[in-house]
Amino acid sequence: MRRWLARVGALTAAAVLIAATAPIIMADDLTVTRGAGDGGVAREREIRDIKSEIHRLEQRVDQLENENGQLKKSNAELKQNADKLQTSTTQQLSEIQSRASAPPSPADFMDAMNRFLGRYRFTLVGGAAGSYIYDRKSNTNTFALDLEPIILWQLSDKLLFEGTIEANLPAGSSADYQLPVADFQYFLNDYAELVMGIFDQPFGDWYEDQSPFWVNRFITAPLPYNVGSLIPPTEVGLQLRGGFQWGEMGQVADYTIWSGNGPGYTNATCGSNTPPSPLPDCSTTTALVGDTLVSDNNIRLNTHSPGFGGRFRVYPLPADSNFGRLELGASTFDGKWLDGFWLTSWGVDFNYFRDNLQARGEWIQTYRQMPQGLGADNRQGWYVQAGYFLTGLQVPLLPSELDQYIDRLEPLIRYSGINQRATVLGNVITTPGIGFTGSPALYAPHAREVAVGLDYWFAPSIVWQNELDLELPRAGGFYSDTGQAVGAYPNDRAFVSQFAVGF
Amino acid sequence: MSRLIKFGMMAALAAIALVPLAPRHARAAEMTPAQQKRQMFRRGAQLWPIYCNTCHNARPGGEFSPTEWNMIIMHMRTQANLPPQDANAILEYLKASR
């Protein structure tokens, strides 16, 4: 600006000088014209130079005026930008102030917590249950408690550790602790995963998917998985598993293959077979027909060769099908339980649900080779069950205020059975307990049971369950170690009530 | 012989697992991340009641934090052998519906 003013001043001074000298020059021109000669020519040249200078100065003035206009324009734009910047800054400041004074959103809070905790990858889920059991045969009234926390620890995007601790307080006993699951799960790719450690036996649908308190619609297990289950509940070893979509959305299939310690039996003493037992008398400690599988995890067992198993499951209906959801599965589990003697087993299962209806069922067959010419210890087990949510049911003559309670009710029915040639007296649990053991009176070599239930769901994972177990007249058979008949008190009844929470 | 057949069946299953299958969702690569998220949300909303109710009552997204859902769905991938694209869609739905 200062330079520009200096230029304008210089030009002004030049203009004044020209204005002052012009009359003199013009007078001189007249003189030159009058007195022609060499001096006149020089004078003309000088005048032309001066005119040229005047023209140049005029152009310079125009140029400066133009520059002045541009500077004014730039100045206006700068001012406008400064105003905008000030408005924006004020707005941002206001936003920051309001954000600072407002409470954080859940997502922001979670982000902040994760930043604070660093590599936080640990959580606790599981279930807890308290139950009341009445059994007519043993005239037992008892309460039982069970807690099963599941620890999940994510070590990376591909590696997860799962540990389940089972703590229960069975009737007439102090607290009991077990470790049914403790394994690492490593995802090899989208279609294959490796599981290493102690895991639920992947045979059938029961142990892996249906055994948690709040998942099982009933309180007790069906007979094939109850007292003296046909298949060991846990295994120690390796699994390879995965799932894939083969058709439309929801049409998937999955597989599991595994190898582990294999089956083990309690190897009870046989020494007092007497008529009417069909079994031979034996005087040494040996395995028995009817001996039960080791039902705890078999980490302590030193079996004679690794057992192995496979399971394949398919969902034939697409997700948007109007026919509901159908699951079909097949399993096998095989292993040597003694040198040269195999336990071979297989099973098929189904699960179907549509709207309020859910039904599932399973068939299991086992074949155990026996020493000492005792023949095979064949066993069969099965169950089929159905439940129906009363959601939307309109009961005539009932006040509409009760609809909200009726919506939460789920009546249930289950029929299950088990066949085996005999059982061992010491293996039959006489103390009631929830979960796998159920009502002890309902176990016999040839047992048939009908269970009816009524669940009231407070929330998707909080339920009050009531179950009535009815032993059918078919129950019976022999104790293979005593030869005595089982089922002296046939047609037993039991009532079980349980409050279960999944967390 | 029957054991040989069983072993063969298991080996075939293992081979299926290890053979890389052709991607079924090539179109996903053409979408923006926001569009992919929206598509996963819709797929998850459709699958969540079906997959979860197969074994137990479906639990709503608000019951656990996003970090906990990450671990629970990872666990359910094992427990129910969920295909990864379906597990991811259900996870997206559960986290977004909180």
Side-chain angles (χ1 to χ4, degrees):
Chain A
M1 180 65 89
R2 204 172 286 173
R3 273 178 72 190
W4 177 78
L5 284 173
R7 285 178 183 179
V8 171
L11 285 172
T12 310
V16 169
L17 181 65
I18 290 164
T21 54
I24 299 166
I25 291 166
M26 287 172 72
D28 285 350
D29 281 347
L30 290 173
T31 311
V32 168
T33 307
R34 282 181 203 125
D38 291 343
V41 172
R43 192 72 179 165
E44 278 179 9
R45 191 180 299 125
E46 190 179 354
I47 288 168
R48 272 200 308 274
D49 290 346
I50 289 169
K51 280 182 180 177
S52 172
E53 181 66 18
I54 288 169
H55 182 67
R56 194 184 61 79
L57 288 172
E58 279 175 350
Q59 282 181 333
R60 182 67 182 152
V61 168
D62 289 344
Q63 187 187 357
L64 288 172
E65 280 179 350
N66 194 21
E67 284 178 5
N68 187 31
Q70 284 178 352
L71 283 170
K72 279 183 179 172
K73 193 179 171 187
S74 300
N75 193 27
E77 283 175 359
L78 281 172
K79 195 180 175 190
Q80 196 177 358
N81 287 343
D83 289 345
K84 276 184 186 173
L85 194 63
Q86 191 171 359
T87 309
S88 167
T89 307
T90 309
Q91 194 177 346
Q92 283 177 358
L93 188 64
S94 170
E95 280 177 14
I96 289 167
Q97 281 173 341
S98 62
R99 206 181 293 173
S101 58
S105 70
D108 291 342
F109 178 74
M110 200 63 212
D111 286 343
M113 279 296 287
N114 283 343
R115 280 196 299 276
F116 175 73
L117 294 170
R119 292 176 59 83
Y120 165 66
R121 297 285 185 274
F122 178 84
T123 194
L124 195 68
V125 291
S131 64
Y132 165 77
I133 304 163
Y134 166 71
D135 183 80
R136 193 183 68 168
K137 178 182 174 182
S138 57
N139 194 22
T140 305
N141 286 276
T142 188
F143 291 93
L145 293 170
D146 215 320
L147 174 68
E148 270 193 28
I150 300 172
I151 299 159
L152 298 177
W153 180 26
Q154 188 180 357
L155 294 149
S156 76
D157 289 343
K158 291 187 170 184
L159 185 60
L160 184 79
F161 173 80
E162 178 194 355
T164 302
I165 299 162
E166 186 178 350
N168 55 48
L169 194 61
S173 176
S174 58
D176 181 35
Y177 300 93
Q178 289 187 35
L179 185 68
V181 176
D183 58 44
F184 286 95
Q185 302 161 4
Y186 183 74
F187 293 89
L188 297 168
N189 57 42
D190 282 354
Y191 307 100
E193 180 196 353
L194 199 63
V195 178
M196 302 157 282
I198 309 171
F199 45 79
D200 286 330
Q201 192 80 255
F203 187 100
D205 235 4
W206 176 261
Y207 291 132
E208 275 198 338
D209 298 333
Q210 292 301 305
S211 57
F213 311 118
W214 66 277
V215 174
N216 181 15
R217 295 298 213 249
F218 285 89
I219 302 166
T220 62
L223 288 182
Y225 294 105
N226 208 306
V227 179
S229 56
L230 299 184
I231 305 294
T234 59
E235 185 62 281
V236 186
L238 292 167
Q239 287 181 36
L240 181 70
R241 61 192 303 160
F244 53 91
Q245 182 178 333
W246 55 269
E248 298 295 316
M249 184 172 68
Q251 287 183 310
V252 295
D254 64 71
Y255 68 91
T256 308
I257 54 175
W258 69 96
S259 181
N261 276 354
Y265 287 80
T266 52
N267 208 22
T269 303
C270 161
S272 56
N273 284 338
T274 53
S277 168
L279 304 173
D281 190 14
C282 45
S283 55
T284 57
T285 299
T286 183
L288 287 170
V289 171
D291 193 8
T292 55
L293 277 162
V294 175
S295 57
D296 298 338
N297 71 65
N298 54 5
I299 195 168
R300 294 163 296 185
L301 294 182
N302 181 19
T303 49
H304 298 263
S305 73
F308 59 90
R311 173 161 173 74
F312 186 72
R313 197 161 44 177
V314 65
Y315 298 84
L317 301 176
D320 54 1
S321 163
N322 292 323
F323 297 107
R325 181 80 168 158
L326 177 65
E327 171 194 313
L328 300 170
S331 314
T332 181
F333 175 66
D334 309 271
K336 282 181 187 170
W337 67 275
L338 194 64
D339 278 337
F341 298 99
W342 282 81
L343 169 77
T344 305
S345 60
W346 60 271
V348 289
D349 56 271
F350 84 97
N351 174 23
Y352 176 74
F353 88 88
R354 183 186 179 190
D355 301 328
N356 294 350
L357 171 71
Q358 177 142 31
R360 61 174 65 245
E362 207 165 329
W363 167 270
I364 303 164
Q365 168 83 46
T366 69
Y367 178 90
R368 182 164 70 122
Q369 293 176 332
M370 294 293 290
Q372 299 174 335
L374 292 176
D377 185 10
N378 295 342
R379 306 181 186 189
Q380 297 90 35
W382 64 89
Y383 73 90
V384 58
Q385 72 178 51
Y388 190 86
F389 266 100
L390 299 185
T391 310
L393 183 74
Q394 299 292 327
V395 183
L397 305 175
L398 209 64
S400 58
E401 292 78 22
L402 296 178
D403 286 351
Q404 59 176 318
Y405 302 108
I406 291 172
D407 285 352
R408 295 165 180 267
L409 287 172
E410 185 185 19
L412 303 151
I413 187 162
R414 180 183 71 199
Y415 172 67
S416 61
I418 190 169
N419 279 336
Q420 64 182 53
R421 286 169 54 193
T423 188
V424 177
L425 179 62
N427 286 333
V428 177
I429 299 166
T430 54
T431 308
I434 55 175
F436 292 159
T437 54
S439 172
L442 300 177
Y443 183 72
H446 299 283
R448 305 287 185 273
E449 177 204 270
V450 169
V452 289
L454 185 64
D455 291 353
Y456 182 85
W457 292 90
F458 295 93
S461 62
I462 303 174
V463 60
W464 176 35
Q465 299 170 298
N466 296 282
E467 179 183 327
L468 181 63
D469 297 330
L470 309 165
E471 189 180 32
L472 299 184
R474 178 76 190 274
F478 292 98
Y479 286 119
S480 60
D481 50 352
T482 67
Q484 293 173 349
V486 178
Y489 301 93
N491 309 327
D492 193 16
R493 308 281 184 271
F495 172 74
V496 195
S497 186
Q498 174 175 275
F499 183 77
V501 177
F503 55 83
Chain B
M1 182 61 102
S2 65
R3 288 188 192 113
L4 281 175
I5 293 169
K6 283 173 186 168
F7 271 124
M9 191 177 78
M10 285 182 208
L13 288 172
I16 289 170
L18 295 172
V19 169
L21 303 179
R24 291 175 177 275
H25 304 285
R27 283 178 58 200
E30 299 165 9
M31 290 191 283
T32 64
Q35 285 173 326
Q36 284 181 21
K37 264 195 148 182
R38 275 199 297 276
Q39 194 196 39
M40 280 179 69
F41 179 86
R42 281 196 295 270
R43 186 182 176 94
Q46 206 171 350
L47 291 175
W48 167 69
I50 295 168
Y51 276 44
C52 302
N53 278 319
T54 299
C55 294
H56 56 78
N57 293 330
R59 298 174 75 167
E63 287 199 9
F64 297 101
S65 72
T67 309
E68 287 172 323
W69 275 126
N70 285 341
M71 279 177 272
I72 291 167
I73 292 296
M74 199 171 174
H75 172 56
M76 292 315 299
R77 262 191 75 182
T78 304
Q79 201 75 6
N81 282 346
L82 297 181
Q85 71 272 23
D86 292 350
N88 291 338
I90 292 170
L91 179 62
E92 176 63 31
Y93 169 73
L94 288 168
K95 286 159 86 169
S97 63
R98 295 179 71 247

